[in-house]
Amino acid sequence: MQLRTAVAAFVAVATSALVAAPVSAEEASGSPERRGDDVRRAVFVGNNWDGTADILDPATFERLGRIDVVPDKAERIQEIATNPYRFAYFLAIRALIGEGHDQYVDDMYSSNDGRMLVVSRPSFADVVAIDLQTKEIVWRFEVDGVRSDHMAISPDGRRVVVSASTGNVVHVLRVADGVEVGRFPSGGSPHENIFIDGGRRILHASIGMVYSPLDDPALDPTKQERVLQIVDARTMKIVRTYDLRKALDERGMTETSTAVRPMTLSPDNRTFYFQLSFFHGFVEMDRATGEITRVKHLPNLVPDMPREQYLLDSAHHGIAMNPAGTKLCVAGTMSDYATVVDAKTFRRGPLLKKQDGKPYWVTQSWDGRTCYISWSGTDEVSKISYRTGRIVQTVPVGDHPQRVRNGWVRRDLVPTL
């Protein structure tokens, strides 16, 4: 009852206050191409409640370093505390979306030269670039509204896009200096972004008001506008918007939410795979026709759990296809498991269970052999083999790991990180 009261209060505050080209393994894994002896590959793990990012060796999973992504924490909190409007949202984010914790790092990408780490910081409603050598903030960009969220980096590493959760807009920033070079509109709570077609377009989705207590399927239309759209990455014009409600209804999924959660694409960019709020599994959509071509139901191990207890409406939150387009790695968030699904037959592998694990995100490794999955409940990250569907290795990281990204770090910085 206290949670529902808090959610209702937050909603009240919010309401009143406010062709296809083949995709490379580099693009699919979110790691832009960079060649040279001065840099080495790395895996970045954002520890949301810690306010840190762990840097791992992709081969050994040895921790190369840990970066403080909130070196200006005291300054930011003081700034927020003196603004009643911002402070109300800051506390609401902590109580609801942050599960009682401040959200210091949602997403992050390294620069191509391995010198900087670009981080979105939800509670501070900003994006910062941190110099990996000095550990200092190089630039800072404040997003519209009061919360920053998911990002994506262009294949050439020159631009990063960031969703402004309460601003209903996606900003496009220049990685070198944080200058905004474009933006495009979204629906309620802009969320996932993926550069596609070699970086020429952006696949974007918004998820609506996932902190609303109105979780009954009949009340789904009240949870703000949800969009799934393709945006021209040069002009920032929306070139296509999908009617997901129509597509789901035609598959008989009339009570399924249209809020698209994590998504991934086939290597040729012609097929979308994505998760949906409250849905245990994922759907396959044909890009050209906008039709849901297949639906994969995965085990619901919490059948008696009320929808209101789902973490931000997410039954599953994390999906990644390997570069060969043969396997999908899936995070069954509320059921505390991960599994690998054959893309052709839709047969799943073993359920890789971890009690209280709360799997939060999936990213394929740069070589496409494994997927990385963050266990935000147990503060770990695992490698899962696409071939065997088994966990290869698990390592401890910081408090509440969420996003995992492939990237680069200068070789000469590794001993000092």
Side-chain angles (χ1 to χ4, degrees):
M1 183 64 67
Q2 290 179 343
L3 176 59
R4 280 186 168 278
T5 301
V7 173
F10 179 49
V11 172
V13 171
T15 303
S16 63
L18 297 185
V19 260
V23 62
S24 67
E26 296 290 345
E27 182 180 351
S29 62
S31 173
E33 184 57 58
R34 172 69 167 87
R35 301 182 184 280
D37 295 333
D38 57 333
V39 296
R40 59 174 294 174
R41 295 186 185 275
V43 177
F44 293 84
V45 181
N47 305 310
N48 195 10
W49 296 351
D50 251 3
T52 63
D54 282 326
I55 306 175
L56 308 179
D57 182 294
T60 66
F61 251 28
E62 173 191 2
R63 191 169 75 190
L64 303 176
R66 175 173 287 177
I67 300 297
D68 178 6
V69 302
V70 287
D72 57 339
K73 178 180 176 180
E75 179 184 356
R76 296 280 79 80
I77 291 180
Q78 181 178 5
E79 176 184 88
I80 292 169
T82 58
N83 183 326
Y85 171 82
R86 284 283 289 112
F87 190 57
Y89 268 106
F90 180 78
L91 294 179
I93 291 170
R94 174 190 293 171
L96 303 175
I97 303 175
E99 301 175 80
H101 300 263
D102 295 325
Q103 291 196 306
Y104 294 128
V105 48
D106 185 276
D107 213 342
M108 84 249 101
Y109 286 97
S110 63
S111 59
N112 265 20
D113 59 10
R115 295 178 182 272
M116 295 192 305
L117 184 64
V118 180
V119 184
S120 63
R121 308 188 301 180
S123 287
F124 295 161
D126 65 10
V127 181
V128 295
I130 297 175
D131 187 301
L132 293 177
Q133 181 174 30
T134 67
K135 316 299 191 299
E136 296 178 352
I137 294 175
V138 179
W139 56 257
R140 176 174 181 254
F141 177 85
E142 297 181 64
V143 303
D144 284 8
V146 294
R147 187 178 181 276
S148 54
D149 199 44
H150 287 221
M151 300 197 300
I153 194 166
S154 60
D156 62 12
R158 295 179 180 178
R159 294 163 297 151
V160 64
V161 300
V162 57
S163 291
S165 290
T166 65
N168 293 6
V169 69
V170 178
H171 301 280
V172 184
L173 311 179
R174 197 160 55 203
V175 169
D177 54 15
V179 171
E180 184 179 42
V181 294
R183 59 168 58 194
F184 60 86
S186 177
S189 294
H191 196 57
E192 183 73 319
N193 303 287
I194 302 176
F195 277 91
I196 62 175
D197 300 343
R200 298 191 302 277
R201 296 176 184 85
I202 301 166
L203 179 62
H204 170 74
S206 71
I207 56 175
M209 196 179 291
V210 295
Y211 42 80
S212 165
L214 307 177
D215 292 337
D216 187 275
L219 299 175
D220 189 64
T222 69
K223 296 168 76 79
Q224 297 182 327
E225 179 189 16
R226 278 71 58 92
V227 302
L228 177 62
Q229 57 194 28
I230 295 177
V231 181
D232 187 298
R234 182 180 63 85
T235 65
M236 299 303 137
K237 300 295 184 182
I238 298 171
V239 297
R240 180 164 186 180
T241 299
Y242 290 91
D243 188 343
L244 194 51
R245 181 71 276 152
K246 179 176 180 290
L248 290 170
D249 288 350
E250 289 176 348
R251 288 290 306 194
M253 303 171 72
T254 57
E255 293 191 347
T256 303
S257 171
T258 58
V260 174
R261 311 316 294 259
M263 50 190 177
T264 189
L265 293 87
S266 61
D268 60 9
N269 283 192
R270 294 177 180 175
T271 307
F272 304 154
Y273 300 88
F274 51 83
Q275 295 157 324
L276 296 158
S277 283
F278 305 113
F279 185 69
H280 293 262
F282 59 88
V283 300
E284 176 188 83
M285 171 182 273
D286 182 272
R287 174 179 175 175
T289 66
E291 296 179 358
I292 303 294
T293 49
R294 289 190 295 173
V295 178
K296 177 59 179 176
H297 293 269
L298 287 168
N300 175 6
L301 303 185
V302 289
D304 298 325
M305 179 180 288
R307 288 164 68 99
E308 291 77 15
Q309 293 182 17
Y310 278 40
L311 177 64
L312 300 176
D313 296 358
S314 297
H316 285 197
H317 194 275
I319 186 168
M321 174 167 262
N322 65 346
T326 59
K327 299 289 180 68
L328 291 144
C329 188
V330 182
T333 305
M334 296 313 299
S335 295
D336 287 336
Y337 67 73
T339 192
V340 174
V341 176
D342 185 282
K344 182 178 181 180
T345 65
F346 264 19
R347 292 175 182 164
R348 68 165 176 85
L351 297 184
L352 309 174
K353 301 178 184 178
K354 184 178 284 290
Q355 185 174 0
D356 299 323
K358 198 169 68 175
Y360 206 102
W361 191 255
V362 175
T363 297
Q364 71 166 45
S365 61
W366 71 269
D367 61 7
R369 296 177 181 175
T370 62
C371 61
Y372 306 134
I373 186 165
S374 58
W375 304 94
S376 61
T378 57
D379 300 337
E380 298 171 305
V381 173
S382 293
K383 281 184 186 179
I384 298 174
S385 169
Y386 275 112
R387 183 179 62 83
T388 67
R390 301 285 184 179
I391 292 177
V392 176
Q393 188 176 7
T394 299
V395 296
V397 289
D399 192 8
H400 206 268
Q402 291 190 182
R403 224 67 61 220
V404 183
R405 300 296 190 188
N406 295 293
W408 307 94
V409 63
R410 284 186 59 85
R411 293 182 183 277
D412 58 0
L413 296 182
V414 171
T416 64
L417 289 171

